[in-house]
Amino acid sequence: MRSRSVVATVALLSLLSSPPSAGAQEASPPLAIVGATIIDGNGGAPIPDGTIVIDGDRIVAVGGRASVEVPDGAEVIDGAGKFVTPGFVDTNVHMSLAFGRGGRVEEHAAYWAHHEQVILQGLQLHLKHGVTTVRDSYGVLRPMQRVKKKIDAGEEIGPRTYLAGNIVGWGGPASETFAGLPESEISFFAEQMNDEVTLGSGEEMMHMTPDELRVAINAYLDHGPDFIKYGATHHFNYPAGISFSPRAQRVIVEETHKRGLIAETHATSLEGLRLSILAGIDLIQHPDNVGNRTITDELVDMIVERGIVCSMLINQFTGPSWEFHVRNMERAREDLAEAQARERQRRIPPTTAEIRRRVQDTGLPQPGSVMEGRWTTKRTNAKKLIEAGCIVTVGTDNTLFGRGGVAADFLREEPENMEHQLPGLGTIFAIEGLVELGMTPGEAIVAATKNGALASKALDEYGTLEAGKAADVLVLDADPLADISNIRKLSMVIRGGRVIDIDALPTNPIALDWAAGTLRE
């Protein structure tokens, strides 16, 4: 056995600069991490002075040092003082050029010829922070499939990736359902972009009979998505029109399940979500966001009873992001007090729209409105789902192009309050946020590992550190059970048995000199 430090082993074993062939990987000696504290992702007590042995792309043994034999010829990493966890899973990311509203959609034209490079960069940024599996739940399917194929073949480095492509029933990034844009007001490029995203699964589906929808959803499934996400309502919190009838939703779920795939929904109203639950969905994206309303006890009970996975946007309303929202709400409350004083003097009653905006901006209830605060309800709902014992995962909406689709600003200069949205780093914020909302650090790690695998019905393949499972392993320099922020102290990432040079990621970064209109390498 040859013993090496973590740093030396990374230098020796990193295969990042020239990914090996499958045959070369098979010829590599076994790898053993010896003497570390092992946090296996199942939620039990950690294993002190533990050993984990990896052969090829699989874990072959995990346990205490005395109970695990290290094979002759194995490359040994000294794990003393280190902490080992499974790789993290983000169940909701967006790595392709599928965002932007209004004129900002056209910003993507500058990147379109480099689409695969952009996608790979986002995926590698996740891996850089220890996210070894991602589920991309909305994007441009075909270029993402090409990148995934290269990663799976060992031609590129990246996390395990699941792809949904379009959110079925929505019309693409420049559509009425996604962005509130009438077709009469968008450019030819935007129309083409919508078609490339939807691949026949857009807004026309809302006008189909169940029999027609059954044919259409199978045609989309033939494009090869790894799971189906459908829009039970429109994208927006308000108004949140229900997109599909109960029997139409059942058709979507049934045909997806016939292919052995996960069916999930995005629903921004209480009734829209209820219909999806009754249709038999496996996972809910953003259950914390049901149209600025507190989720009902009835819905929470239904989610728990059916074992539906809750992929939650924790990073958007915890940590620095929550502090940002609190400051904005405080300013809005000051403005509201001034406005109400003027109204009393002038006796001008506020309009319904004004009342709704006040509720959303201040987080305060207002007479005559059922709506609640935009950010306060999300945080309340997340706590409620966690306390009820729902299967929770982190689903961050991480994207290279920000919430407003501002590609130029994001890649050139970081906008305010966007750090929590960055690929990989946003996932870290979300895991930390779970503890802020009431989980123990151990529970947060289970949510980010084991539950992430459950979200794709793949717990037999990864998500915990057990013999026979994929060797997706993180080595940390400090104890995350003592302080969850120690997940930032990442010294090694092993993906599928390969030690990754995280300092070299992304391998081929792309940015844009927006003023000059040229790419900047």
Side-chain angles (χ1 to χ4, degrees):
M1 295 184 297
R2 295 163 290 175
S3 180
R4 296 179 182 269
S5 69
V6 171
V7 173
T9 303
V10 171
L12 176 68
L13 297 180
S14 174
L15 305 171
L16 186 59
S17 57
S18 54
S21 66
Q25 277 187 261
E26 292 170 3
S28 299
L31 176 66
I33 303 171
V34 178
T37 299
I38 298 174
I39 303 166
D40 65 11
N42 281 306
I47 303 171
D49 194 21
T51 295
I52 180 168
V53 179
I54 297 167
D55 194 357
D57 65 352
R58 296 280 143 180
I59 297 169
V60 295
V62 181
R65 187 201 295 256
S67 65
V68 175
E69 181 179 354
V70 176
D72 290 339
E75 190 70 41
V76 176
I77 296 173
D78 182 4
K82 306 294 183 181
F83 297 81
V84 176
T85 75
F88 299 140
V89 181
D90 195 317
T91 55
N92 176 43
V93 307
H94 308 296
M95 292 296 99
S96 66
L97 297 169
F99 284 92
R101 296 190 179 167
R104 286 178 172 168
V105 172
E106 275 65 37
E107 290 179 356
H108 294 331
Y111 289 95
W112 207 260
H114 304 268
H115 205 166
E116 292 179 32
Q117 187 179 347
V118 169
I119 294 165
L120 182 62
Q121 176 170 332
L123 291 173
Q124 290 183 342
L125 287 171
H126 278 97
L127 193 58
K128 186 181 186 76
H129 291 280
V131 183
T132 55
T133 300
V134 298
R135 298 173 78 255
D136 193 301
S137 69
Y138 175 64
V140 193
L141 183 61
R142 291 189 287 205
M144 289 195 295
Q145 286 175 323
R146 292 193 291 270
V147 174
K148 176 182 176 177
K149 184 177 180 180
K150 290 177 182 178
I151 292 172
D152 291 347
E155 298 171 20
E156 297 285 1
I157 292 291
R160 179 186 296 100
T161 306
Y162 296 88
L163 306 172
N166 188 40
I167 298 175
V168 168
W170 291 359
S175 66
E176 182 76 52
T177 45
F178 184 85
L181 294 173
E183 285 187 351
S184 60
E185 296 181 10
I186 66 174
S187 67
F188 181 62
F189 171 77
E191 291 179 356
Q192 291 179 307
M193 191 173 175
N194 284 345
D195 285 349
E196 183 63 18
V197 169
T198 59
L199 299 176
S201 68
E203 293 164 335
E204 63 273 16
M205 281 189 165
M206 292 189 292
H207 298 271
M208 293 181 180
T209 67
D211 288 342
E212 292 169 335
L213 182 58
R214 198 176 300 276
V215 173
I217 191 64
N218 274 287
Y220 183 68
L221 284 162
D222 287 343
H223 285 288
D226 300 307
F227 62 102
I228 289 293
K229 178 180 176 182
Y230 70 92
T233 66
H234 294 176
H235 192 194
F236 305 105
N237 288 337
Y238 187 92
I242 291 176
S243 302
F244 293 104
S245 69
R247 64 176 185 167
Q249 292 199 42
R250 286 196 298 272
V251 165
I252 294 171
V253 173
E254 287 169 5
E255 296 307 310
T256 301
H257 284 169
K258 286 178 182 177
R259 305 273 185 129
L261 303 179
I262 292 288
E264 63 190 52
T265 192
H266 174 118
T268 53
S269 75
L270 296 169
E271 278 303 291
L273 178 55
R274 183 175 180 275
L275 293 180
S276 295
I277 292 172
L278 293 174
I281 55 168
D282 306 291
L283 183 147
I284 305 165
Q285 291 292 356
H286 324 319
D288 41 87
N289 179 16
V290 280
N292 302 333
R293 298 296 309 276
T294 298
I295 192 167
T296 62
D297 293 343
E298 176 197 23
L299 288 181
V300 173
D301 290 344
M302 292 172 73
I303 291 167
V304 173
E305 289 167 5
R306 289 164 170 78
I308 300 172
V309 176
C310 293
S311 174
M312 296 203 289
L313 283 166
I314 303 297
N315 52 314
Q316 291 193 2
F317 44 82
T318 57
S321 180
W322 176 244
E323 294 169 5
F324 175 84
H325 296 313
V326 168
R327 289 195 299 272
N328 283 345
M329 285 190 290
E330 289 172 350
R331 286 192 290 266
R333 290 174 185 184
E334 292 172 0
D335 293 342
L336 174 60
E338 293 177 5
Q340 289 175 329
R342 290 194 300 271
E343 286 162 6
R344 283 193 294 271
Q345 292 169 4
R346 300 178 186 179
R347 297 179 181 176
I348 301 174
T351 65
T352 302
E354 286 178 312
I355 292 172
R356 186 170 59 251
R357 288 194 297 269
R358 289 174 179 181
V359 173
Q360 292 175 352
D361 294 343
T362 66
L364 297 173
Q366 296 292 309
S369 176
V370 299
M371 308 304 288
E372 301 167 79
R374 177 181 299 165
W375 298 107
T376 52
T377 53
K378 292 180 182 181
R379 192 172 165 97
T380 297
N381 289 339
K383 287 182 177 181
K384 190 170 182 177
L385 291 162
I386 289 169
E387 290 169 0
C390 294
I391 302 169
V392 171
T393 71
V394 292
T396 58
D397 264 359
N398 285 350
T399 172
L400 274 173
F401 289 85
R403 292 292 78 210
V406 284
D409 286 343
F410 178 81
L411 293 179
R412 179 186 59 192
E413 184 178 326
E414 186 179 304
E416 185 181 16
N417 190 41
M418 283 305 302
E419 190 180 32
H420 70 281
Q421 208 73 59
L422 303 184
L425 184 57
T427 313
I428 300 302
F429 274 106
I431 299 169
E432 294 170 344
L434 287 170
V435 176
E436 182 179 326
L437 295 180
M439 282 190 176
T440 66
E443 289 169 341
I445 289 172
V446 170
T449 57
K450 180 179 181 178
N451 291 356
L454 286 171
S456 290
K457 293 185 178 178
L459 187 55
D460 59 341
E461 175 66 13
Y462 61 91
T464 60
L465 301 179
E466 298 178 70
K469 291 192 176 182
D472 293 349
V473 180
L474 308 183
V475 181
L476 307 174
D477 288 332
D479 185 1
L481 299 181
D483 184 343
I484 194 62
S485 68
N486 285 332
I487 60 175
R488 295 174 181 260
K489 297 178 180 178
L490 184 63
S491 66
M492 179 179 288
V493 174
I494 300 172
R495 160 73 175 101
R498 299 169 62 182
V499 178
I500 304 300
D501 183 359
I502 56 178
D503 292 333
L505 294 176
T507 55
N508 189 19
I510 183 171
L512 185 71
D513 185 336
W514 198 250
T518 58
L519 290 170
R520 185 176 71 236
E521 299 294 339

